[in-house]
Amino acid sequence: MCEDVQGNIYTCSEDDFSIYRFNRASGKLVRIAAGYLNHPAGVVIAKSTAGSGSVTGWSLYVAEYFYLWEIPNVAAPAPTLLDPGAPGIGHSLGYFPPSTGTLRAITRNPSGSGFFVSTAGGTIERMLMTGVRQQVARLGPGAHRRPRRHHHE
């Protein structure tokens, strides 16, 4: 997902293999590209390539599996921080090494002592309020499969 300087928001939809723009001025969602059969994974606005024909000088780039596509003639990207008076992002509570995989979901620990975090690496991690991290479960090889039935003769 990304935003241009006019406040339009661009996003990809894996469900219908399309790219959409939420037009801030009209409040409408517009389908601007389609046919990404390998599922679009992300979008970003950057300077256009020389041969794109873009009159704005900016293009929307779409990541799709092994491909990178360019859609010319979009507005410049929004600044990194639109509101210089906005509050900061907070402080870092902890770090998950890349070996755990990206963080997928978070929920509070019912005991009130921190959080449980699921990762793309198939683990559930406990993060204490002190920033200490501990693995509490791991999906092992084949654990996602149904058990085999044994037939007795």
Side-chain angles (χ1 to χ4, degrees):
M1 181 184 307
C2 64
E3 182 178 11
D4 68 25
V5 293
Q6 298 169 344
N8 299 315
I9 298 174
Y10 299 84
T11 190
C12 51
S13 171
E14 287 190 11
D15 293 341
D16 66 355
F17 316 110
S18 299
I19 304 301
Y20 286 89
R21 178 185 64 233
F22 173 75
N23 188 320
R24 182 178 180 201
S26 70
K28 294 185 179 184
L29 191 62
V30 180
R31 189 176 183 195
I32 63 168
Y36 301 99
L37 300 182
N38 290 311
H39 302 283
V43 292
V44 67
I45 297 172
K47 292 219 179 252
S48 298
T49 60
S52 71
S54 177
V55 296
T56 64
W58 298 96
S59 292
L60 181 72
Y61 292 88
V62 180
E64 177 207 19
Y65 207 59
F66 292 122
Y67 301 98
L68 184 61
W69 301 96
E70 180 180 15
I71 301 171
N73 298 317
V74 298
T80 305
L81 184 61
L82 294 177
D83 180 2
I89 60 171
H91 72 278
S92 174
L93 180 61
Y95 173 77
F96 288 78
S99 61
T100 63
T102 56
L103 308 183
R104 295 296 189 198
I106 184 170
T107 188
R108 70 178 184 84
N109 185 336
S111 71
S113 63
F115 309 94
F116 288 107
V117 179
S118 67
T119 71
T123 64
I124 297 177
E125 312 271 339
R126 179 184 296 122
M127 176 66 78
L128 300 176
M129 299 304 259
T130 60
V132 173
R133 181 181 59 82
Q134 173 191 20
Q135 185 181 100
V136 295
R138 178 168 192 74
L139 180 66
H144 63 284
R145 295 188 202 123
R146 284 201 244 162
R148 296 178 98 183
R149 292 185 181 189
H150 297 284
H151 296 278
H152 299 347
E153 295 187 35

